[in-house]
Amino acid sequence: MKLAFTKMHGLGNDFVVIDNRNGRIKNLKKLALKLCDRRFGIGADQLIILGSSKKADFKMGIINADGSEVEMCGNGIRCLAKYIWDNNIGSEKLAIETLAGIMYPEKAGSLIKVDMGEPILDPEKIPVKLKPSTIIDHPLKLKDKTFRITCVSMGNPHAVIVVKDVDSAPVETIGPEIENHKLFPKRTNVEFIQILNRKNIKMRVWERGAGETMACGTGASAVAVAASLLELADRRVTIHLKGGKLLIDWSKKDNHVYMTGPAVKVFDGAVDED
């Protein structure tokens, strides 16, 4: 039997999207390992699953290329929203259930705006095994170097590090060390950021379970919050990623983070399910 899919990306953070609203496909971890493989499969950072929901319009499942399930993906939810609209199965403003809660994508001209909810700063809820009420500019020693981390959850954990030159940041070496550090019981995403000015931030990201990716929507959201907490940037900023730009607005009105950016369909296809 053939399995239909759509290949999509948000700023180069790429996904295989499948419709599993009927719940027919059971072993999604195995499927993610197969489809996301860049040499033997379609190739993607994550598998995105459209499911049915009793709480919202739809449910979103997210499985990394390594088979681990994650709570939320900002670029992924924009792509899933576009997939829904392209297939005429949802309204212009959506409610999508995720493991991080219900998210609300809506059309914003040619872009997609998503209400990402309130940032979580409580270490126990991020989670991080540290006692302070918030973790802002906290020293983390790795071998002979110390990195200062600011921790935020956008439904999934992030550790943000400010550097002078993000292009030369040790993303591929330090990223996995911090991701798997004992402080983070559920591992963590790691963002390296360079403050360009109060309205622009350059960012590279090491994503939990996927490695360095071209972009990360929840990461960009966490970076905007962290930079504001560090008093290095305004609450409304443009995040410059390898794959392009995201506009992030940490609203004073409701404390919610709003992410606006593109989503692109690459191609449709079908593969054997076996």
Side-chain angles (χ1 to χ4, degrees):
M1 185 176 291
K2 294 287 186 181
L3 173 67
F5 70 88
T6 299
K7 177 71 184 284
M8 306 189 77
H9 78 84
L11 303 179
N13 187 193
D14 61 340
F15 312 98
V16 173
V17 183
I18 62 168
D19 185 344
N20 195 38
R21 283 177 294 162
N22 58 14
R24 185 173 59 83
I25 303 163
K26 303 299 182 185
N27 196 338
L28 293 169
K29 176 180 177 178
K30 181 181 177 183
L31 184 65
L33 289 168
K34 174 186 174 183
L35 298 186
C36 292
D37 191 293
R38 295 194 182 278
R39 293 187 181 275
F40 298 100
I42 300 162
D45 293 322
Q46 292 166 321
L47 174 66
I48 303 292
I49 302 109
L50 176 65
S52 298
S53 173
K54 294 179 180 179
K55 302 177 182 178
D57 299 326
F58 302 97
K59 187 174 183 178
M60 177 185 185
I62 314 155
I63 304 179
N64 285 328
D66 70 353
S68 58
E69 187 172 16
V70 294
E71 303 89 347
M72 177 55 188
C73 174
N75 292 317
I77 200 166
R78 294 199 316 276
C79 286
L80 185 62
K82 179 173 171 55
Y83 177 91
I84 291 165
W85 293 324
D86 285 351
N87 288 280
N88 298 310
I89 53 176
S91 60
E92 287 200 2
K93 186 167 184 178
L94 300 167
I96 299 180
E97 178 188 355
T98 75
L99 291 178
I102 298 176
M103 304 294 162
Y104 299 92
E106 61 182 280
K107 293 182 179 181
S110 62
L111 302 177
I112 299 169
K113 180 179 179 180
V114 184
D115 179 350
M116 302 287 283
E118 293 190 61
I120 297 166
L121 303 176
D122 181 347
E124 190 176 346
K125 295 178 179 178
I126 291 174
V128 188
K129 292 182 178 179
L130 286 171
K131 294 299 184 185
S133 58
T134 56
I135 303 167
I136 300 171
D137 202 32
H138 180 87
L140 176 63
K141 190 170 183 181
L142 296 175
K143 298 176 182 175
D144 59 339
K145 291 187 178 181
T146 298
F147 296 87
R148 305 195 73 88
I149 60 172
T150 297
C151 296
V152 180
S153 171
M154 292 304 307
N156 56 353
H158 297 270
V160 180
I161 300 168
V162 180
V163 297
K164 289 183 179 180
D165 177 19
V166 77
D167 292 330
S168 61
V171 177
E172 293 183 353
T173 54
I174 299 303
E177 282 195 50
I178 297 178
E179 175 196 352
N180 296 288
H181 195 279
K182 62 184 179 181
L183 283 179
F184 303 101
K186 292 187 176 181
R187 300 186 292 166
T188 189
N189 301 283
V190 188
E191 286 80 27
F192 296 81
I193 67 169
Q194 178 183 345
I195 306 297
L196 302 177
N197 53 52
R198 293 197 64 85
K199 297 186 180 297
N200 292 274
I201 299 172
K202 194 172 181 180
M203 166 184 154
R204 288 174 65 190
V205 57
W206 180 269
E207 284 203 57
R208 178 183 55 165
E212 184 173 10
T213 59
M214 298 288 284
C216 177
T218 56
S221 300
V223 160
V225 172
S228 179
L229 292 171
L230 290 165
E231 299 183 353
L232 297 173
D234 296 341
R235 292 172 71 107
R236 182 181 174 89
V237 293
T238 298
I239 308 293
H240 301 258
L241 304 117
K242 277 192 167 184
K245 296 184 290 187
L246 288 173
L247 175 63
I248 308 295
D249 184 8
W250 184 17
S251 173
K252 285 186 177 181
K253 184 178 179 180
D254 59 10
N255 203 44
H256 285 216
V257 176
Y258 294 87
M259 171 195 64
T260 304
V264 176
K265 173 181 172 180
V266 184
F267 61 87
D268 292 317
V271 292
D272 292 329
E273 285 194 28
D274 294 336

